[in-house]
Amino acid sequence: MAHLQLRKKKCILELVKLSIAFLCLSLSAFLNFFLLTIIHDIVPREPLPDLIFMLIPQQKWAWPVGDVLSTVNSVIGFAVVFLHKDRITILRRLFLLGSIMYGLRAVVMGVTFLPPSFHDRDQICLPQVNRTAMYGDEIMKRFLTYVVTLGLTSGQSKILCGDLMFSGHTIVLSIMYFTTLKYTPKGLFWLRYVVTPITFCGMLALVVSGGHYSIDVLIAYWLCSHVFWSYHQIFELPLQERKSQNLARMWWFWLVYWFEETVPPGALKNKWNWPFPGPLFMKELAKKCNKKLCQ
């Protein structure tokens, strides 16, 4: 009985941590949306030179392609997380990593304003407005639009411009890519050959479309790579060793330390299970998959 109560308390604590991590991600994302609604009216309109733009004419069709590839990468990544036996821990880590990256993005967006990278920006970007008595209403309208669409703009005739440094789409592509690499069972090694071209073609599409400068995408990928693998390296160590590591001096370490206190040291074993009581054939299928995929 005591064991069951302890397990129940642990489950509740893990769900609380997951909820707080999701709240952190939501706040970071909403801050990005809010900053964009203001930055749009501040940024200059003349685009900066970019090597890719010099070599390849901007292609409008590439922007929705980038959206689609980001979505496909996310579906694959979340499917891997959903089937993983430690799905709560991994999902919480994704929320925290997203919070860190979008928090960094908000800071960068708020201090340096890059002009839109579109050559035909007047046809793509919404017109800038003067700060009048009705400006607050305009900001709120823009903000709610981006919250409802989760920042996806491929279906809109004109969009807000200015959220360039660094690329939010690349954050999604990179984190989901690394998640698939990290948490896929050994037997599905071939999946990396699927997500790798999806990831990098998605990044290329963002630049070819003119939606981002090359540097926006490169910095986003490099930062995601650094934060993702540093996070896992430090929190896979035994609990008593984490505070003494050089990586413990990273600014985000203490922000996420509490979330990882109860996670056993070492890499999580990449085993699958079916998270629901039924149907039974799915539970049996997950067991059979484990035998084949984890060998």
Side-chain angles (χ1 to χ4, degrees):
M1 182 65 70
H3 175 71
L4 290 176
Q5 289 180 345
L6 183 63
R7 186 176 179 181
K8 184 178 180 181
K9 287 182 179 179
K10 183 179 179 181
C11 289
I12 293 174
L13 178 60
E14 292 301 306
L15 290 175
V16 169
K17 288 182 177 181
L18 179 66
S19 301
I20 295 174
F22 179 74
L23 178 62
C24 292
L25 175 60
S26 300
L27 290 174
S28 294
F30 291 162
L31 179 58
N32 277 256
F33 296 157
F34 179 72
L35 286 172
L36 174 58
T37 63
I38 299 174
I39 291 170
H40 173 81
D41 297 319
I42 299 175
V43 294
R45 281 299 195 237
E46 193 63 32
L48 301 174
D50 189 285
L51 179 61
I52 298 297
F53 299 163
M54 295 178 182
L55 298 176
I56 305 174
Q58 293 184 359
Q59 306 293 322
K60 289 184 178 180
W61 56 264
W63 185 254
V65 169
D67 273 348
V68 169
L69 293 177
S70 297
T71 303
V72 171
N73 226 21
S74 298
V75 169
I76 295 173
F78 278 118
V80 169
V81 174
F82 176 78
L83 292 170
H84 201 284
K85 69 179 183 65
D86 292 310
R87 62 187 63 84
I88 299 298
T89 298
I90 300 172
L91 190 59
R92 184 179 68 232
R93 287 177 174 178
L94 291 188
F95 291 160
L96 291 172
L97 288 165
S99 302
I100 292 169
M101 292 306 304
Y102 276 100
L104 281 172
R105 185 172 186 259
V107 172
V108 174
M109 281 174 55
V111 297
T112 301
F113 311 127
L114 297 183
S117 48
F118 297 111
H119 286 168
D120 52 349
R121 56 201 173 280
D122 293 331
Q123 299 178 22
I124 295 176
C125 299
L126 288 166
Q128 293 176 312
V129 299
N130 296 322
R131 295 170 182 80
T132 63
M134 299 297 291
Y135 188 61
D137 294 339
E138 178 65 22
I139 292 296
M140 185 56 63
K141 179 182 176 182
R142 293 173 177 177
F143 176 71
L144 292 176
T145 299
Y146 267 68
V147 169
V148 170
T149 61
L150 297 179
L152 296 176
T153 57
S154 57
Q156 301 177 31
S157 57
K158 288 194 174 185
I159 62 174
L160 298 177
C161 297
D163 58 335
L164 294 168
M165 182 64 72
F166 40 89
S167 167
H169 281 73
T170 304
I171 292 175
V172 175
L173 281 165
S174 300
I175 289 180
M176 300 316 298
Y177 172 56
F178 297 141
T179 298
T180 303
L181 296 184
K182 176 70 176 174
Y183 295 111
T184 300
K186 292 181 180 179
L188 287 177
F189 69 92
W190 53 265
L191 193 57
R192 69 180 57 201
Y193 300 115
V194 175
V195 296
T196 298
I198 289 175
T199 300
F200 291 101
C201 286
M203 294 178 189
L204 181 62
L206 296 175
V207 180
V208 171
S209 70
H212 277 287
Y213 296 107
S214 302
I215 194 66
D216 303 337
V217 172
L218 290 173
I219 288 180
Y221 177 77
W222 288 334
L223 277 175
C224 277
S225 176
H226 166 72
V227 173
F228 185 96
W229 297 113
S230 296
Y231 185 106
H232 284 81
Q233 182 177 358
I234 188 69
F235 288 115
E236 287 177 359
L237 293 172
L239 182 63
Q240 63 273 16
E241 296 181 14
R242 295 173 185 175
K243 297 179 183 179
S244 61
Q245 300 298 311
N246 289 331
L247 285 175
R249 292 170 174 79
M250 297 297 294
W251 66 269
W252 45 261
F253 175 80
W254 289 107
L255 297 178
V256 298
Y257 182 82
W258 171 71
F259 292 93
E260 295 285 342
E261 275 187 323
T262 56
V263 179
L268 299 176
K269 293 183 179 180
N270 293 330
K271 293 184 177 181
W272 281 1
N273 70 10
W274 185 247
F276 304 113
L280 291 178
F281 78 90
M282 289 301 299
K283 295 181 75 69
E284 292 300 320
L285 181 61
K287 290 180 181 179
K288 291 180 180 179
C289 287
N290 267 333
K291 292 180 181 179
K292 292 184 177 181
L293 298 178
C294 299
Q295 290 177 351

